[in-house]
Each structure stands twice: as structure tokens, then as C-alpha cells.
Amino acid sequence: MLRPKKSLGQNFLIDENIARKIVAALEITPSDAVLEIGPGRGVLTKYLVESAGKLLAVEIDRALVAQLSERFGEAENFRLLNEDVLKLDLTSVLNSRHRWKVIGNVPYHITSQIFFKLFEHREKISTAVFMIQREVADRMAAAPNCKDYGILAVFCQFYAEVEKLFHVSRHVFAPKPDVTSAVIRLKMRQHLPIAGTELKIFTEIVKRGFGQRRKMLRNSLQKTTDLSVDWDKIDFNFERRPEQLRVEEFVALAQQIAQKQIRS
Ligand code: SAM
């Protein structure tokens, strides 16, 4: 067997029950098209290929690709790409009419980058199930007024409905990672409440706000942004701190700021 490559985050799942549980969380029907990121030794792939109408797997490691194609290459519904998912042109890959389901036990060091890439293509994706580091799952699913609530929670919950499903012990991997994992499910929102300038302002105020999370928004927003705004005309209590605001409140604030921008 090939030696796992630490640089590619290769901690392989070795528990079949958990593999089945992760695949079940994607709720696959025979007409579904599924994208698997980082199939590795194929522990999820074998259940996916049995249940999906179409399975596209993307694996960066050429040696694993050779093994996977030997094992699953005969299946008519299976396609395998030897690519870096972060460089992959998802617009051309997710090009069919239906919306895709996405799954993966992804390397911990590229988790957020993968999510943000998927958010960009959310109109082609319905659901995503990922096994990730537990702490990251906690931060994605966090509610306001708790320490884990921050930029990641606000953006993930803006783009998707986030559900943390279950924890996975480090002992069911080979080699064992240093951390506990968790499985999360994202149901992509097809209609966002804001776009264009409002979305840009939303992004800026969330980042600025949490950049100084202990401070009142009066300090982190009014004094530091490049936004030229008539702040007095905005109906909002700027003594609040970012961790107290629900996603909808950030959205509403962004909408007001967009309306009260001073145009030069
Ligand atoms: N899904 C397998 C499992 O559950 O055992 C493998 C999980 S392992 C944590 C992560 C997998 O992602 C490895 O097979 C690794 O080679 C692959 N990988 C790492 N970086 C990648 C990238 N940028 N694009 C595609 N695959 C990647």
C-alpha cells in the first residue's frame, strides 16, 4: 500500500460504518450527480458509485488516481480527474442542467478555501457533506453570542443552511490525525437577499466588525471603513458588538449603509 502523504492531508478513514453514515447524510437518489473531493483510497467512493446516477471524483495524488481508476474505472457512472480541486474550473465541470451534490473528507488545511469556492458556484450545487476538523465545524455552525461565532459562521450561514451532524473520533483514521473530526451538511441557499454593492458592503462590515470583535461597531465600522456614509441617518444601535448580530442583521445593516452612502 502507498505511504500516506502528510502534505496532502492524507488521513484515510478506515471505519466502514462511518463511511456509510457520511454517504447517507448526502441523501443520494439514483438521478443525482455527485462530486467527490479527495477520494483517497475510495472508502466513500464505493458507496457513492453504487448510489449516484453520476459520480465525478477529483483527486490530486496521481498514485491514488491510478489505484482508483483500476478499482472503479469499469463503472459507467464514474469519472475521475487527477486535479487540484482548488485550481479546477468548476464552471465547466458542473456544467449539466441538474444541481450537484458534493462530498469529501477534505484535507484540513484547505477546508475554508474549498467552501468559499463552492459558495461561488452555489447555484449549481444543492447539498454538500464534509468531514472536517471539529473546531472548524463548531465555528461554521455557531450561533450569535458565543465564542465560536465569527466571520466563518456569518459567511457560511449566509450562503448555506449549516447543520453539524456528528463527531468522528481520530481513532478511525490511518494515520490518526491530531484532532477530532465532525461531519457537516450544507444546504446551499439558491436565493440570496443581497447582491452587488450591498453584498460588497456586507462582506466589508462582517470582516471589519470581527477584525475587532470586542469593540462596539461604532469603533470598528464608523472609524475605519473606506465607506463614505451618513452614519447618523442609519437606524441601528452601533454600541452593539459584532458577535451579537445575527446574519440577517448584518444583511439589513449592509442594505441601510448602501442606501445612505454619500456619492461623490
Ligand atoms: N476520502 C478519503 C477517505 O475518507 O479516506 C481520503 C481523505 S484524505 C483526508 C484527503 C484526500 O484529499 C487525499 O486523498 C488527498 O490526496 C486528497 N487531496 C488533498 N489535496 C487535494 C486537492 N487540492 N485537490 C484534490 N484532492 C486533494
Side-chain angles (χ1 to χ4, degrees), residues 94-125:
L94 307 180
N95 63 357
S96 47
R97 263 185 296 126
H98 41 241
R99 282 162 60 205
W100 289 67
K101 291 185 172 173
V102 185
I103 194 164
N105 291 347
V106 293
Y108 298 142
H109 61 286
I110 55 170
T111 309
S112 306
Q113 290 173 73
I114 292 176
F115 287 139
F116 282 96
K117 183 157 184 171
L118 296 180
F119 291 149
E120 275 173 37
H121 295 271
R122 69 187 176 279
E123 73 284 359
K124 296 301 297 178
I125 298 168

Side-chain angles (χ1 to χ4, degrees), residues 7-14 36-45 58-61 64 83-86 104-110 114 131 173:
S7 64
L8 295 177
Q10 289 182 351
N11 300 98
F12 298 106
L13 179 65
I14 50 172
E36 183 185 11
I37 300 174
R41 293 179 180 158
V43 68
L44 303 181
T45 318
V58 182
E59 171 58 61
I60 198 170
D61 185 337
L64 288 175
E83 299 256 12
D84 176 347
V85 71
L86 297 178
N105 291 347
V106 293
Y108 298 142
H109 61 286
I110 55 170
I114 292 176
M131 177 144 68
F173 294 89

Side-chain angles (χ1 to χ4, degrees), residues 29 31-35 52-55 96 98-102:
T29 66
S31 60
D32 280 335
V34 175
L35 169 67
K54 174 160 132 179
L55 175 63
S96 47
H98 41 241
R99 282 162 60 205
W100 289 67
K101 291 185 172 173
V102 185

Side-chain angles (χ1 to χ4, degrees), residues 36-245:
E36 183 185 11
I37 300 174
R41 293 179 180 158
V43 68
L44 303 181
T45 318
K46 68 171 175 290
Y47 300 110
L48 295 169
V49 84
E50 283 169 7
S51 51
K54 174 160 132 179
L55 175 63
L56 173 65
V58 182
E59 171 58 61
I60 198 170
D61 185 337
R62 197 184 315 161
L64 288 175
V65 166
Q67 284 185 355
L68 288 159
S69 98
E70 196 167 307
R71 184 160 165 209
F72 301 106
E74 301 274 285
E76 277 186 13
N77 59 344
F78 181 68
R79 215 178 119 213
L80 181 60
L81 296 177
N82 183 195
E83 299 256 12
D84 176 347
V85 71
L86 297 178
K87 295 188 184 145
L88 192 65
D89 174 10
L90 280 187
T91 309
S92 65
V93 166
L94 307 180
N95 63 357
S96 47
R97 263 185 296 126
H98 41 241
R99 282 162 60 205
W100 289 67
K101 291 185 172 173
V102 185
I103 194 164
N105 291 347
V106 293
Y108 298 142
H109 61 286
I110 55 170
T111 309
S112 306
Q113 290 173 73
I114 292 176
F115 287 139
F116 282 96
K117 183 157 184 171
L118 296 180
F119 291 149
E120 275 173 37
H121 295 271
R122 69 187 176 279
E123 73 284 359
K124 296 301 297 178
I125 298 168
S126 59
T127 314
V129 168
F130 283 105
M131 177 144 68
I132 58 177
Q133 191 176 335
R134 177 189 169 170
E135 283 73 20
V136 179
D138 288 341
R139 285 197 281 123
M140 289 175 71
N145 296 310
C146 71
K147 71 169 178 26
D148 286 328
Y149 187 68
I151 293 178
L152 193 64
V154 174
F155 283 124
C156 290
Q157 294 170 30
F158 174 74
Y159 286 112
E161 188 190 316
V162 181
E163 297 166 87
K164 188 175 150 200
L165 301 180
F166 53 90
H167 292 156
V168 180
S169 152
R170 55 188 283 274
H171 300 289
V172 298
F173 294 89
K176 287 180 197 170
D178 296 331
V179 294
T180 303
S181 298
V183 174
I184 53 135
R185 180 164 55 204
L186 303 177
K187 295 209 167 128
M188 297 290 178
R189 298 189 199 284
Q190 297 308 304
H191 302 289
L192 298 181
I194 48 175
T197 307
E198 291 179 342
L199 182 53
K200 267 198 202 130
I201 293 174
F202 169 81
T203 305
E204 169 145 11
I205 62 177
V206 172
K207 285 186 180 162
R208 292 271 181 182
F210 284 106
Q212 297 174 289
R213 64 181 292 135
R214 299 267 153 254
K215 293 205 171 160
M216 290 187 258
L217 288 162
R218 176 183 311 294
N219 298 308
S220 51
L221 295 190
Q222 297 186 357
K223 296 189 182 149
T224 62
T225 55
D226 300 330
L227 298 165
S228 181
V229 180
D230 199 346
W231 295 103
D232 294 337
K233 294 216 172 111
I234 292 181
D235 177 21
F236 179 81
N237 175 5
F238 283 98
E239 292 188 356
R240 298 176 76 193
R241 292 178 168 75
E243 62 197 15
Q244 299 173 312
L245 265 63

